[in-house]
Amino acid sequence: NAGVTQTPKFQVLKTGQSMTLQCAQDMNHNSMYWYRQDPGMGLRLIYYSASEGTTDKGEVPNGYNVSRLNKREFSLRLESAAPSQTSVYFCASRRDRVWTGELFFGEGSRLTVL
Amino acid sequence: AQKVTQAQTEISVVEKEDVTLDCVYETRDTTYYLFWYKQPPSGELVFLIRRNSFDEQNEISGRYSWNFQKSTSSFNFTITASQVVDSAVYFCALSEAGNAGGTSYGKLTFGQGTILTVHP
């Protein structure tokens, strides 16, 4: 079972370059999330999507955009990468729109911005 | 605003020792869920347990046990007879009560994580 799949797993960018992180889930989940993980700070929510066609900002949305392309796919775009965006990015999904279920995570995407 | 605090940044133990990871949370919701996740060196996040705010019974799963106390807003995690394979980063997390008509949809707030190293 694939679960949540993220691509790419590793990426190195120069400051100012753009890129898109792709995420797809095959569990027919409604909600999808993008988190970033930085040392000593745990995981922080960037954006989330409660259902197809809706997206909302999380705790640290600045510098990012998202697209919920369909129920399966939720992409994260960096329009002009900055060194502060060097991080490990995790996509996650959850069956329900509200709070009842646990999150299922992808394997993470390690992004370095030089 | 919600907050989860894991005050222990790093813990180091020797195999077979018992170890407790602390988690303290803050929320204004009366209904909420608490979670523990494990992140082994390979990097993926593994779900361990979910507990709702109405159920304060302690839970045991093999060598793992969880102590939920609403009076102290704590949800502590104990590993009994630790093993080298338990070495990982452990995250405690809190999910607010989302509502379909509002803007909160069950977002998870994570603690900073506790790095557990179990030495042979």
Side-chain angles (χ1 to χ4, degrees):
Chain A
N1 294 335
V4 179
T5 303
Q6 294 180 229
T7 56
K9 299 230 177 342
F10 299 94
Q11 184 73 49
V12 178
L13 292 177
K14 294 181 180 177
T15 297
Q17 287 185 320
S18 62
M19 77 157 296
T20 299
L21 296 174
Q22 307 285 356
C23 175
Q25 51 92 9
D26 62 2
M27 297 174 281
N28 201 34
H29 285 175
N30 288 304
S31 301
M32 296 186 73
Y33 305 78
W34 276 105
Y35 283 87
R36 60 177 287 172
Q37 182 181 11
D38 302 294
M41 303 192 74
L43 280 80
R44 292 180 293 167
L45 182 63
I46 305 171
Y47 270 94
Y48 65 103
S49 170
S51 60
E52 184 179 351
T54 67
T55 61
D56 281 289
K57 295 178 180 179
E59 182 185 353
V60 288
N62 290 346
Y64 305 95
N65 285 303
V66 291
S67 295
R68 182 75 181 265
L69 305 169
N70 47 55
K71 191 171 186 179
R72 290 187 65 247
E73 298 171 289
F74 187 39
S75 62
L76 178 72
R77 182 161 178 84
L78 287 70
E79 290 292 351
S80 178
S84 60
Q85 294 177 305
T86 293
S87 187
V88 180
Y89 291 86
F90 286 94
C91 178
S93 70
R94 168 185 271 177
R95 177 175 58 87
D96 302 309
R97 298 179 73 203
V98 290
W99 43 264
T100 57
E102 69 270 23
L103 292 181
F104 292 83
F105 285 88
E107 293 182 344
S109 299
R110 185 174 294 275
L111 175 65
T112 301
V113 182
L114 303 175
Chain B
Q2 299 188 117
K3 186 177 180 181
V4 176
T5 302
Q6 296 178 254
Q8 303 151 307
T9 305
E10 292 191 51
I11 300 176
S12 182
V13 299
V14 176
E15 212 169 17
K16 298 183 183 174
E17 283 186 29
D18 297 347
V19 57
T20 295
L21 282 62
D22 297 333
C23 173
V24 175
Y25 63 91
E26 296 174 28
T27 180
R28 279 183 269 188
D29 288 346
T30 55
T31 303
Y32 51 89
Y33 274 95
L34 294 161
F35 301 80
W36 276 95
Y37 281 85
K38 174 183 180 180
Q39 187 177 42
S42 51
E44 76 275 19
L45 284 144
V46 179
F47 166 76
L48 294 178
I49 190 172
R50 177 187 66 205
R51 172 67 55 176
N52 75 52
S53 54
F54 299 127
D55 183 2
E56 287 193 69
Q57 281 195 357
N58 292 334
E59 181 156 343
I60 298 174
S61 176
R63 296 184 296 107
Y64 295 170
S65 62
W66 290 270
N67 182 282
F68 175 34
Q69 292 194 339
K70 286 182 78 170
S71 60
T72 56
S73 297
S74 65
F75 186 44
N76 297 337
F77 173 31
T78 297
I79 302 174
T80 302
S82 60
Q83 300 176 1
V84 172
V85 293
D86 295 326
S87 296
V89 183
Y90 290 87
F91 291 99
C92 180
L94 170 67
S95 182
E96 63 187 17
N99 62 87
T103 59
S104 59
Y105 289 107
K107 297 174 289 184
L108 226 60
T109 299
F110 284 82
Q112 303 92 320
T114 296
I115 302 171
L116 174 65
T117 303
V118 182
H119 298 282

